[in-house]
Amino acid sequence: GAVVSQHPSWVICKSGTSVKIECRSLDFQATTMFWYRQFPKQSLMLMATSNEGSKATYEQGVEKDKFLINHASLTLSTLTVTSAHPEDSSFYICSACPTSGGASEQFFGPGTRLTVL
Amino acid sequence: GENVEQHPSTLSVQEGDSAVIKCTYSDSASNYFPWYKQELGKGPQLIIDIRSNVGEKKDQRIAVTLNKTAKHFSLHITETQPEDSAVYFCAASTSYGKLTFGQGTILTVHP
């Protein structure tokens, strides 16, 4: 149980294009999902907290107009990187908190490798 | 906000030895402390967690200890195996749910 999927697993795009990444909780409902970014050999940095049916809460320094988050259902959150640039190349990971579980327990997706040329 | 420090950054052990990774946190309101294992190119996998009302938790070869007074917690892996080689992250969270991660420890278990 507690499986989180991400799609795509990797994507290569040209500079200036937009890329959408999906995060799904497969066997549980998640009121809250989180989006992280991880650069090579570094830790996970929280980008934003996504709550179903409401606007996402972004961490300091994360551009909300560049990283659009939509959490339209209890099993799906999407992250859209708009006008991507090479510096946006990174490993993007989502996590989901089961609605029925503890407030802190998070299950992570497998990540999406974004490369912007 | 919360700050989590993790040590060591790299750890090399022989198969069968024990490995210990330590973390300290700054926010006394933190009450949930998970440990994640991350293999190359994959997302983090929860391996064990502990809540602030417990001092120790064990699951087969893996154990976690928590000292709330000193604000530190540790991961103990006994009888290490080559497949334990990975990057390990500690994290701390309050009831709100936001996780703050440590810097990570690269564990290498030599056969």
Side-chain angles (χ1 to χ4, degrees):
Chain A
V3 178
V4 177
S5 70
Q6 281 185 241
H7 179 81
S9 56
W10 60 270
V11 56
I12 301 173
C13 68
K14 293 182 179 180
S15 186
T17 60
S18 294
V19 175
K20 179 184 284 188
I21 302 170
E22 292 186 349
C23 176
R24 294 181 184 273
S25 55
L26 298 185
D27 50 4
F28 64 97
Q29 293 185 325
T31 304
T32 304
M33 292 183 173
F34 299 89
W35 286 95
Y36 296 84
R37 182 166 50 183
Q38 186 179 33
F39 292 108
K41 298 185 179 181
Q42 293 189 22
S43 189
L44 284 78
M45 296 299 295
L46 179 64
M47 298 176 66
T49 303
S50 170
N51 292 297
E52 187 266 337
S54 63
K55 291 183 178 181
T57 303
Y58 291 82
E59 294 300 299
Q60 191 172 6
V62 178
E63 300 175 58
K64 61 180 66 177
D65 294 330
K66 181 171 184 61
F67 299 98
L68 303 179
I69 292 173
N70 183 276
H71 192 157
S73 77
L74 288 173
T75 60
L76 173 65
S77 177
T78 61
L79 168 68
T80 301
V81 183
T82 62
S83 186
H85 291 286
E87 56 265 30
D88 298 322
S89 298
S90 188
F91 194 48
Y92 291 86
I93 310 171
C94 72
S95 71
C97 291
T99 302
S100 59
S104 303
E105 193 172 19
Q106 294 183 30
F107 296 94
F108 284 80
T112 296
R113 174 76 59 192
L114 171 63
T115 302
V116 185
L117 303 177
Chain B
E2 175 68 280
N3 183 49
V4 178
E5 296 288 333
Q6 182 173 345
H7 298 281
S9 56
T10 61
L11 180 59
S12 183
V13 300
Q14 289 295 129
E15 182 176 1
D17 288 350
S18 295
V20 180
I21 303 171
K22 298 181 178 181
C23 290
T24 60
Y25 61 99
S26 61
D27 189 347
S28 58
S30 290
N31 57 10
Y32 177 64
F33 307 92
W35 285 89
Y36 293 92
K37 175 183 181 182
Q38 187 178 29
E39 297 178 339
L40 191 63
K42 298 183 179 180
Q45 178 187 9
L46 178 69
I47 56 172
I48 195 167
D49 57 10
I50 192 168
R51 298 188 185 273
S52 59
N53 58 346
V54 176
E56 183 175 358
K57 184 177 179 180
K58 188 175 182 179
D59 183 4
Q60 299 184 338
R61 298 187 297 111
I62 297 174
V64 57
T65 58
L66 170 65
N67 184 326
K68 286 178 57 181
T69 302
K71 294 183 192 169
H72 66 69
F73 56 112
S74 301
L75 176 70
H76 304 253
I77 305 175
T78 59
E79 300 172 28
T80 54
Q81 302 166 2
E83 50 266 38
D84 293 330
S85 297
V87 181
Y88 290 81
F89 291 98
C90 64
S93 173
T94 64
S95 298
Y96 174 67
K98 286 173 56 174
L99 286 174
T100 301
F101 283 83
Q103 295 84 353
T105 296
I106 301 173
L107 174 64
T108 304
V109 181
H110 299 281

